[in-house]
Amino acid sequence: MPGHFEPLPGGGAAVALDDVEISIIRSLAVQLLELIGPGPGACDDPLAELFAEGPSEPPADPVLRRLFPDAYSDPEEEPASPAEAERRRAHSSEFRRYTENDLRAGKRENALAVIRSLDALTPAGDGGAVLELSPQQSRQWLGALNDLRLAIGARLEIADEDDADALHRLPDTDPRKPMVLAYLWLGGLQETLVDTLMA
């Protein structure tokens, strides 16, 4: 179980984490929450908040652009004409306006679920703990792990497999090395959690 998720009887997943791993995941989840932001704000009228419109323009931050990409753009396909480019931009803007608030709320809830489950851990005698997740918590963790990897990948400017392969060969003295190690480690956790949920 150390370093990877395993299935629990009746559903869910478990993983053994040491204090350093717990601290890293918690810190990254808190940073993700800060990046995503607090939401549209406290509202006395839940119905009005339900129909509140989100932003219509993509975020300026490259990490947020990776977490909340345009819906009608394909970076590998050029629009056939300026009119087609404008049509895509208008559709992306409209889609973003009506969906981004909900997407942000879901990502916030997943990150909060990670923090809450880590905070509820009872330390074992060896300085670590075994994290046991229900099926729903497992899905929230999977979403949060994916978001964390996307965020780190954006900071590392990973656009494709070639970029990821180049990062594997970084010397230990490169200042990006700790972020690369976190990216790879979270990828391993994510992969074993997917395998566990599909078992």
Side-chain angles (χ1 to χ4, degrees):
M1 183 187 306
H4 62 273
F5 280 96
E6 293 183 1
L8 286 174
V15 64
L17 299 170
D18 65 31
D19 287 342
V20 173
E21 293 168 330
I22 291 167
S23 176
I24 290 170
I25 296 172
R26 191 182 189 290
S27 174
L28 290 171
V30 168
Q31 291 175 51
L32 182 65
L33 274 176
E34 291 170 355
L35 184 65
I36 292 170
C43 183
D44 292 336
D45 184 356
L47 188 60
E49 189 170 329
L50 179 66
F51 290 104
E53 292 182 2
S56 58
E57 294 300 319
D61 187 302
V63 173
L64 290 174
R65 276 198 311 273
R66 181 80 58 95
L67 292 172
F68 305 103
D70 277 336
Y72 291 90
S73 67
D74 182 351
E76 297 184 16
E77 181 186 327
E78 287 294 319
S81 67
E84 173 67 14
E86 180 56 30
R87 184 184 68 77
R88 286 186 190 176
R89 192 201 65 70
H91 285 210
S92 289
S93 176
E94 191 75 359
F95 185 81
R96 181 178 298 280
R97 194 160 52 114
Y98 291 112
T99 61
E100 188 167 313
N101 283 346
D102 288 341
L103 291 172
R104 283 180 184 260
K107 291 179 185 303
R108 267 192 300 276
E109 193 54 43
N110 289 344
L112 280 170
V114 167
I115 294 166
R116 288 179 185 131
S117 60
L118 292 174
D119 288 349
L121 283 176
T122 303
D126 60 358
V130 174
L131 175 70
E132 294 187 356
L133 302 173
S134 69
Q136 179 180 348
Q137 289 172 318
S138 297
R139 288 187 293 276
Q140 289 176 307
W141 263 75
L142 188 58
L145 288 172
N146 186 61
D147 289 341
L148 290 171
R149 289 194 77 238
L150 285 172
I152 294 171
R155 288 287 185 245
L156 292 170
E157 299 178 350
I158 297 174
D160 56 32
E161 284 300 314
D162 291 340
D163 294 337
D165 289 343
L167 291 172
H168 282 80
R169 297 185 296 275
L170 286 177
D172 290 343
T173 56
D174 192 296
R176 296 172 295 171
K177 190 70 171 194
M179 220 181 335
V180 170
L181 293 174
Y183 178 81
L184 296 172
W185 173 60
L186 292 173
L189 281 177
Q190 183 181 16
E191 185 177 339
T192 61
L193 184 52
V194 168
D195 291 346
T196 297
L197 293 176
M198 293 178 69

